[in-house]
C-alpha cells in the first residue's frame, strides 16, 4: 500500500474584504520510483550501505528506490548530479565526507554543498581498517611502518579517489609516521580493493563491510583499526592507538541528502522512512 503525504501549497488571495482566503493543492508522494545516487562504483562501502538502505527504504515507502552508481572525480560527479537535480524529492544522494572535503581540495566545483544540498538523515558512522595484501611481510602496523621506512617510495596504497576519506586517512598515517608511500587513486574503493587482492598495490584503508567478506579466504590481512577502541567484529585486531599512533583515528560518516529547495514535508517524510529502514 503506497504511503503518501499531502503537501499543501497556500496562495493568499487579495481583494476579498481584506480577509485572506487560501487555495490548497494536494499531491501524493511518492507517485513514481525514486533515484538513489551513489557517487562511487560497486563493491565499496558506499555501494554496500546504499543498496541495503535502498531495499528497505523502498519497502517502507511503497515505491522502488533505484540505485544509480555514478563514480568519478573522487565522488564529485555523483554529488554534482544530485546538486543539479529537480528539488522534488525523487532524487536522493548517499554522501560520505566527500561533500564536506571537496570544497577545500578543489579550486573549482560545479556545485556548492551548502547551497545546493539539504540533509535528510545521518545513515551510518563506521570505523576504518588498514588492510594489506598477504604477500606484504608485515603482521602488524608497527612492522608495516618499519617496512615503509626501510623502503621509502617503494610501497603504495590505493584509495577511492583524490579527496576521499580513505585517501586522507592514509595521508594522515604518512604524516604521523613520517613515511613515504605512493598514492594510487581509483574511481572507488571497490576497484582499489580488487587491485589489492591482485597484488598490484600493498595496502588500503577501508571500511569493514567491504573487507570482512575477504578475511576467511585469506585474501587480505587486517593490521589495525583506525580508532581508539577495537571493534566487536574483529576483537583480535589492535587499534592504531595500541600500535603507537594515537592520532590515527578515522571514522567515516554516510548521510542521505536531497536537492535544496525540496519541500520541508517531503524531507521530513524521507527522514521518517530512512529511520524506519535503518531499524
Amino acid at each position: 500500500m503506497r504511503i503518501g503525504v499531502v503537501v499543501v501549497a497556500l496562495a493568499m488571495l487579495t481583494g476579498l474584504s481584506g480577509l485572506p482566503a487560501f487555495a490548497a493543492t494536494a499531491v501524493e508522494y511518492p507517485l513514481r520510483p525514486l533515484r538513489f545516487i551513489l557517487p562511487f562504483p560497486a563493491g565499496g562501502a558506499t555501494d554496500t550501505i546504499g543498496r541495503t538502505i535502498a531495499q528497505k527504504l523502498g519497502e517502507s515507502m511503497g515505491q522502488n528506490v533505484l540505485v544509480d552508481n555514478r563514480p568519478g572525480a573522487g565522488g564529485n560527479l555523483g554529488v554534482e548530479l544530485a546538486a543539479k537535480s529537480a528539488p522534488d524529492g525523487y532524487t536522493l544522494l548517499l554522501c560520505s565526507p566527500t561533500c564536506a572535503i571537496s570544497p577545500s581540495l578543489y579550486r573549482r566545483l560545479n556545485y556548492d554543498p551548502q547551497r545546493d544540498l539539504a540533509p535528510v538523515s545521518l545513515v551510518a558512522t563506521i570505523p576504518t581498517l588498514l588492510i594489506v595484501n598477504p604477500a606484504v611481510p608485515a603482521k602488524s602496523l608497527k612492522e608495516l611502518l618499519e617496512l615503509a621506512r626501510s623502503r621509502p617510495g617503494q610501497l603504495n596504497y590505493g584509495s577511492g579517489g583524490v579527496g576521499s576519506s580513505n585517501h586522507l586517512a592514509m595521508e594522515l598515517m604518512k604524516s604521523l609516521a613520517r613515511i613515504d608511500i605512493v598514492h594510487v587513486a581509483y574511481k572507488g574503493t571497490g576497484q582499489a580493493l580488487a587491485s589489492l587482492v591482485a597484488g598490484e598495490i600493498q595496502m588500503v584503508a577501508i571500511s569493514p563491510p567491504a573487507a570482512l567478506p575477504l578475511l576467511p579466504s585469506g585474501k587480505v590481512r587486517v593490521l589495525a583499526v583506525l580508532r581508539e577502541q577495537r571493534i566487536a567484529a574483529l576483537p583480535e585486531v589492535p587499534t592504531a592507538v595500541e600500535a603507537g599512533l594515537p592520532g590515527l583515528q578515522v571514522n567515516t560518516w554516510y548521510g542521505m541528502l536531497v536537492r535544496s529547495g525540496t519541500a520541508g514535508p517531503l524531507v521530513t517524510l524521507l527522514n521518517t522512512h530512512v529511520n524506519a529502514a535503518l531499524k
Side-chain angles (χ1 to χ4, degrees):
M1 182 177 182
R2 179 174 297 141
I3 299 175
V5 65
V6 175
V7 180
V8 180
L10 300 177
M12 182 180 291
L13 304 179
T14 59
L16 297 178
S17 302
L19 297 175
F22 300 93
T25 302
V27 180
E28 191 178 21
Y29 169 88
L31 289 170
R32 62 179 190 273
L34 288 79
R35 178 191 189 191
F36 193 16
I37 296 176
L38 309 183
F40 291 98
T46 301
D47 184 67
T48 302
I49 294 171
R51 290 182 182 276
T52 302
I53 293 173
Q55 178 184 350
K56 294 297 182 181
L57 186 61
E59 293 172 1
S60 179
M61 299 192 73
Q63 276 286 1
N64 290 328
V65 178
L66 306 177
V67 169
D68 186 5
N69 291 90
R70 290 301 183 102
N76 286 303
L77 176 59
V79 178
E80 181 183 340
L81 287 174
K84 293 183 176 179
S85 66
D88 55 9
Y90 284 94
T91 299
L92 314 175
L93 170 70
L94 183 64
C95 193
S96 61
T98 296
C99 296
I101 293 171
S102 291
S104 66
L105 286 185
Y106 293 87
R107 185 169 298 177
R108 291 184 180 179
L109 284 176
N110 294 323
Y111 68 91
D112 181 333
Q114 294 190 57
R115 179 194 65 205
D116 300 329
L117 296 169
V120 173
S121 177
L122 178 67
V123 168
T125 302
I126 58 178
T128 301
L129 304 177
L130 177 63
I131 64 174
V132 297
N133 181 278
V136 174
K139 299 297 190 295
S140 67
L141 176 56
K142 183 178 180 180
E143 291 181 3
L144 179 66
L145 298 180
E146 292 174 351
L147 179 66
R149 292 189 184 101
S150 68
R151 302 180 185 178
Q154 296 181 38
L155 301 181
N156 53 42
Y157 73 91
S159 81
V162 175
S164 61
S165 57
N166 49 16
H167 170 214
L168 297 186
M170 295 301 292
E171 289 299 315
L172 177 60
M173 187 179 79
K174 286 174 59 178
S175 176
L176 291 171
R178 298 182 179 180
I179 57 174
D180 179 16
I181 53 178
V182 180
H183 176 216
V184 181
Y186 294 85
K187 288 185 177 181
T189 53
Q191 295 179 359
L193 187 59
S195 288
L196 178 75
V197 172
E200 298 168 350
I201 56 176
Q202 282 80 51
M203 66 194 89
V204 171
I206 200 164
S207 65
L212 290 177
L214 299 175
L215 296 185
S217 61
K219 293 181 179 179
V220 301
R221 182 189 303 133
V222 183
L223 297 188
V225 180
L226 307 188
R227 58 180 292 180
E228 289 184 343
Q229 299 87 22
R230 298 189 183 195
I231 62 175
L234 297 168
E236 74 285 357
V237 177
T239 67
V241 175
E242 293 175 288
L245 283 179
L248 188 56
Q249 299 178 40
V250 182
N251 289 313
T252 302
W253 56 263
Y254 294 86
M256 182 180 291
L257 300 95
V258 292
R259 178 74 163 88
S260 62
T262 302
L266 298 188
V267 176
T268 299
L269 181 70
L270 281 168
N271 175 271
T272 300
H273 283 294
V274 170
N275 288 329
L278 292 175
K279 289 179 181 178

